[in-house]
């Protein structure tokens, strides 16, 4: 049987067919293509300034650890001031402990400083304790709706504390287009420009977020992690279960299989919609939360109002 050669280097055997582009790639060229794409994304959206202190939000999963490895590698090309990793310990017994241990191990290997903040120290409750209260209240709120809001705030608090000027999150292309579809389904059109790969409105007290993996398919991030031998947590969170997002994920995967390139086409459409809406969305001036001082649209931030509910339950 004749072996198929890599269409990029022409000297090594191909192992992966990139169906949306037709390229057949060897492992080395595949890895380089991912790093090049991340570099291109960073400069396309001007994600970093030369003196940024970048805090990579590391959960311990494949996406965030791949991002950390890629940024640690391309840090040499970008004259970045420094890179550190930040992790939120939500307090999910039997799940997050293992993830944190794996995250720390990767940081040690890459010689990247690692900072951790827990829900318990910041809010007084672990997520497990919040879930117990939610069950008792029959409020219909899901663990993820609490966790998402509380983690967002925790990341900002920790990033500010360690002097970070950017938070890099590991959202990949699949995450981005799922969110786009969810916003359309829910009619949350004004959210579309706010979920861009870079959060460019500078607000005091809010560390801007960037998503350097936003143009990489999820399956290619996974492949990158495996080929690099990155140790990551494979078990899903016991509370995971955003039903509609999962259905959208499955539908998009089926479409991509049948019509390669669909995901990138949806991504480009989202970019066009954002561009068209750029000046039409009113700029929100943030105030300080009356309870915790974090930036917020109203008088009390969403995290504090969710915590108030919990304490009242
Ligand atoms: Fe939090 Fe939900 Fe993610 Fe679990 S799946 S870590 S509960 S947002
Ligand atoms: Zn090659
Ligand atoms: Zn608050």
């Amino acid at each position: 049987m004749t072996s198929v050669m890599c269409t990029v280097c022409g000297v090594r055997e191909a192992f992966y067919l990139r169906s949306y582009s037709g390229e057949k790639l060897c492992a080395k060229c595949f890895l380089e293509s991912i790093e090049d794409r991340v570099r291109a994304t960073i400069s396309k959206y001007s994600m970093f300034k030369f003196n940024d202190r970048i805090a990579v939000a590391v959960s311990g999963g494949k996406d965030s650890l791949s991002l950390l490895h890629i940024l640690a590698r391309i840090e040499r090309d970008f004259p970045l001031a420094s890179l550190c990793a930040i992790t939120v310990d939500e307090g999910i017994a039997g799940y997050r402990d293992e993830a944190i241990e794996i995250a720390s191990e990767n940081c040690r290997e890459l010689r990247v400083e690692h900072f951790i903040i827990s829900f318990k120290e910041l809010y007084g409750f672990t997520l497990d304790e919040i879930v117990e209260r939610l069950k008792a209240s029959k409020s219909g709120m899901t663990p993820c709706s609490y966790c998402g809001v509380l983690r967002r705030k925790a990341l900002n608090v920790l990033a500010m504390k360690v002097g970070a000027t950017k938070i890099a999150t590991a959202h990949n292309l699949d995450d981005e287009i799922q969110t786009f579809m969810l916003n359309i389904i829910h009619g949350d059109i004004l959210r579309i420009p706010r979920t861009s790969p870079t959060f460019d409105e500078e607000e005091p007290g809010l560390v801007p977020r960037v998503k350097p993996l936003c143009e990489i398919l999820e399956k290619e991030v996974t492949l990158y992690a495996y080929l690099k031998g990155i140790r990551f947590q494979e078990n899903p969170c016991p509370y995971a279960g955003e039903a509609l997002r999962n259905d959208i994920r499955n539908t998009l995967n089926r479409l991509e299989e049948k019509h390669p390139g669909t995901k990138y086409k949806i991504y480009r459409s989202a970019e066009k919609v954002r561009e068209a809406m750029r000046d039409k969305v009113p700029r929100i001036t943030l105030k300080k939360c009356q309870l915790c001082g974090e930036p917020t649209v109203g008088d009390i931030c969403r995290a504090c109002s969710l915590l108030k509910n919990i304490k009242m339950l």
Side-chain angles (χ1 to χ4, degrees), residues 271-289:
E271 276 191 317
K272 284 183 191 161
V273 171
R274 270 199 298 269
E275 194 48 47
M277 291 177 77
R278 185 175 282 276
D279 302 318
K280 301 197 172 54
V281 181
R283 202 194 140 101
I284 298 171
T285 318
L286 297 180
K287 305 181 208 164
K288 276 190 170 191
C289 169

Side-chain angles (χ1 to χ4, degrees), residues 153 288-296 299-305 307:
K153 173 172 162 183
K288 276 190 170 191
C289 169
Q290 287 174 0
L291 297 176
C292 71
E294 280 289 296
T296 174
D299 294 329
I300 294 175
C301 76
R302 185 125 172 81
C304 285
S305 82
L307 286 166

